[in-house]
Structure formats: C-alpha cells, structure tokens
Amino acid sequence: TKEFFKFQSSIFLIRFHTLGVSDTITKMLKDDPTLVHAQDITSGYTALHWACKHGNLDLVKLLVCVFLFTFKK
C-alpha cells in the first residue's frame, strides 16, 4: 500500500545519509518532501538528526531547506 511504501522510503532516506548518496536523497525528497519528517522507529531520530550527528553539513542544509518548505505550507 501507499503507507507501507512511504514507511519504507522514510527508512531508506534515514539510512542513505551514512552512504553519502545525496543524489538519491535529493530525488526522494523531491518526490515526497514530507519524508523529511520521517523518524527512525528505533531511535526516533530523523534524517536531520543523523546528518548532524555525523557532521554531514551538505545534507543538513538540504534537509533544513526541505523542512522549511514543508512547514511553510
């Protein structure tokens, strides 16, 4: 179902940050900007939490921009 796909996509988004797959993350967020709010089911962290924790400044900037875009709506 659509909800299951969204859940799986959010898991991939959160995990891709460690692989440095920014093109994939950018495409996923373009397809569904609400994924920026997705949380890891174990830790409760979002992709933004993980990006900050691992010092990935480029991903932090991208995620903050997407968050502000979705928050504005």
Side-chain angles (χ1 to χ4, degrees), residues 1-29:
T1 66
K2 186 177 180 179
E3 287 303 313
F4 179 74
F5 176 74
K6 186 169 184 166
F7 171 75
Q8 290 292 24
S9 295
S10 66
I11 299 294
F12 289 129
L13 176 69
I14 291 166
R15 299 295 185 215
F16 277 153
H17 81 278
T18 59
L19 301 174
V21 190
S22 59
D23 289 344
T24 302
I25 292 173
T26 302
K27 182 180 179 337
M28 290 175 71
L29 289 171

Side-chain angles (χ1 to χ4, degrees), residues 35-61:
L35 288 175
V36 75
H37 303 287
Q39 294 179 293
D40 183 296
I41 58 173
T42 305
S43 67
Y45 282 7
T46 63
L48 180 59
H49 286 104
W50 287 112
C52 290
K53 184 175 180 172
H54 293 281
N56 189 335
L57 186 57
D58 290 335
L59 183 54
V60 168
K61 290 176 184 178

